[in-house]
Amino acid sequence: MRPVNLIPAEERPGSRKPLRSGPLAYIVVGALAAAVIALTAVVVTESKISDRKDEVTRLKQERESVQAKAQALAAYTQFTTVREQRLATVTSLADSRFDWERVLDELSLLLPAGVQLTSLAGSASAEAASAGGAGVGLRSGIAGPALELVGCAPSQPAVANFVEALKGIDGVTRVGVQGSAMAGGESGANASSASECGGGRAAQFQMVAAFDAAPVPPSESAAAAVAEAPAEGNSESTASKPASGEASSASESSGGEGGAE
């Protein structure tokens, strides 16, 4: 005889006991949990977006405030820039001063006997020499101060001795001879050259004594920029004085027989 279980199926113990409410309850719980998670994510996201917007607004306000301050201080920045530019240029002008008086004194003391200078010009730069030099072509290749000398000597060895004498001037770094030719004769160019040298045969020379170690003065455009720059505050702008001038040209000047007295 086969046994029969008379306990209802829903009340039987064991793993095969059927669910009383079925899977619907789990589905509802899962849906509610998903809804809560989604709502939480939305709230958190909106909060972050709001914080970012507030930060963007704050940064814009700070930027506007900084720009306003920068505009208010722009005038002082310009004054500082102008001051630094003028100070640099004036310093350059002061550093480039050249003692022409000393150079000419030394030249007068070492001028050999028999050497005559028909033209003498000193310039602080090649730019200045182009406007009022003695016309010696080698001068254009020297950026700083230089002496241009044109004259006559009794002979070619006397010209060479004069070149060596020029090297004795304090500050002279090199002496360039553009040309030295014997002048004299009865007609033509030789006669003309001889008349410039006082007649007779003589060596007519053109040379340049360079002071390469001396500072090169600023160009005229730089000095003009300093003069035209607006002054700081309410003071009027003043033109800066040139710190390095030119030695005056001595046309048809000649050295004595025994040099300068």
Side-chain angles (χ1 to χ4, degrees), residues 106-132:
E106 293 187 23
L107 175 62
S108 65
L109 294 175
L110 58 80
L111 190 66
V115 175
Q116 300 177 351
L117 296 179
T118 59
S119 181
L120 171 64
S123 52
S125 64
E127 179 181 356
S130 62

Side-chain angles (χ1 to χ4, degrees), residues 240-261:
S240 61
K241 296 181 180 179
S244 178
E246 298 181 15
S248 58
S249 300
S251 177
E252 299 296 333
S253 63
S254 61
E257 286 294 324
E261 297 181 357

